[in-house]
Amino acid sequence: MRILLIEDEVKLRESLAFQLCQEGFETDACANGEEGLYYIRQGIYDLILLDRMLPGLDGAAVLSQLRREGFQTPVILITALGSLEDKIEGLDLGADDYLVKPFAFEELTARIRSVLRRPRRLTSSLQLSIGDLTYSPAEQLLKSASGQCTLSGREAALFEAFLRNPGQTLTRELLLAKVWGMDSEVEDGNLDNYIHFLRRRLKNTGSTVRLQTIRGVGYRLE
Ligand code: CA
């Protein structure tokens, strides 16, 4: 798990980064919003810890910008402002959770784990394309030149997991966690069923995009 920490208070940044590393999270840290956006655009983070009050581009601006650019990376806002309005504003801007300073480090790691356990869906209205296919998350619609079909919720979540990690082989464990959630008691065979459904959908659209089995590892969209 790789975390990006954007926090301008030096002491807090250094101590959080150190403790997160101790907890086993790969952590990168930076001190302002512009630099934060630069890091975010590398697309390598599983979670962003974002301070609300930053010099220059503040946390709210960073959050709305990254959501506008289509990044669905979970964000936990960290802030000294604890009023209800601020919380609502943060969540409206697309934060996944909210933590008010000062907080115990255990509280932060609990929130991180909880946010990372939530299955994520793309909510972007943008069309995404892979090979000869386009996909609209909002309608869960797959389209190619020769056909189209609408995915069920679970099929869409599975397909989106591949779209978010283009060219990568995704392990069974990762897919189960991303689509069903780490806490759920899903049977292993469920994943095979949905891989089968998704393959049939891809075939029905007439697309050349295929879901390959990578033996002993998982699956990859090609
Ligand atoms: Ca600050």
Side-chain angles (χ1 to χ4, degrees), residues 68 85 99 113 143 177 183 186 189 196 200 211 213 219:
R68 241 193 331 269
E85 290 73 27
L99 204 52
R113 297 213 161 84
K143 244 187 201 171
D183 288 341
V186 61
H196 173 75
R200 203 170 50 191
L211 203 48
T213 303
Y219 301 93

Side-chain angles (χ1 to χ4, degrees), residues 7-9 51 53-54 101:
E7 166 65 67
D8 62 316
E9 286 167 48
D51 186 25
M53 304 291 271
L54 293 166
K101 291 177 189 173

Side-chain angles (χ1 to χ4, degrees), residues 154-214:
R154 199 73 87 179
E155 290 166 349
L158 185 59
F159 189 63
E160 290 170 15
F162 287 103
L163 281 182
R164 275 198 301 270
N165 302 279
Q168 285 182 35
T169 301
L170 303 186
T171 62
R172 299 182 62 86
E173 294 71 32
L174 186 77
L175 287 169
L176 287 169
K178 285 198 183 288
V179 178
W180 280 270
M182 282 183 203
D183 288 341
S184 75
E185 306 235 322
V186 61
E187 287 176 27
D188 216 30
N190 255 358
L191 176 60
D192 300 292
N193 290 337
Y194 277 93
I195 292 283
H196 173 75
F197 297 155
L198 203 49
R199 281 181 170 147
R200 203 170 50 191
R201 300 280 197 193
L202 289 169
K203 207 170 161 197
N204 288 346
T205 62
S207 164
T208 59
V209 173
R210 289 285 175 268
L211 203 48
Q212 302 289 356
T213 303
I214 310 298

Side-chain angles (χ1 to χ4, degrees), residues 1-19:
M1 287 291 167
R2 191 153 186 163
I3 293 181
L4 176 65
L5 168 66
I6 310 174
E7 166 65 67
D8 62 316
E9 286 167 48
V10 183
K11 274 191 178 165
L12 184 59
R13 183 176 66 243
E14 287 177 352
S15 105
L16 284 179
F18 176 77
Q19 292 180 86

Side-chain angles (χ1 to χ4, degrees), residues 83-126:
S83 76
L84 186 60
E85 290 73 27
D86 286 316
K87 286 182 191 171
I88 291 170
E89 192 205 349
L91 297 173
D92 277 351
L93 286 171
D96 295 81
D97 206 345
Y98 205 96
L99 204 52
V100 178
K101 291 177 189 173
F103 52 83
F105 183 69
E106 292 68 31
E107 171 75 11
L108 174 63
T109 52
R111 299 288 185 94
I112 289 174
R113 297 213 161 84
S114 149
V115 165
L116 289 176
R117 271 197 301 268
R118 291 179 202 160
R120 298 200 54 82
R121 290 288 318 279
L122 296 173
T123 50
S124 159
S125 56
L126 300 169

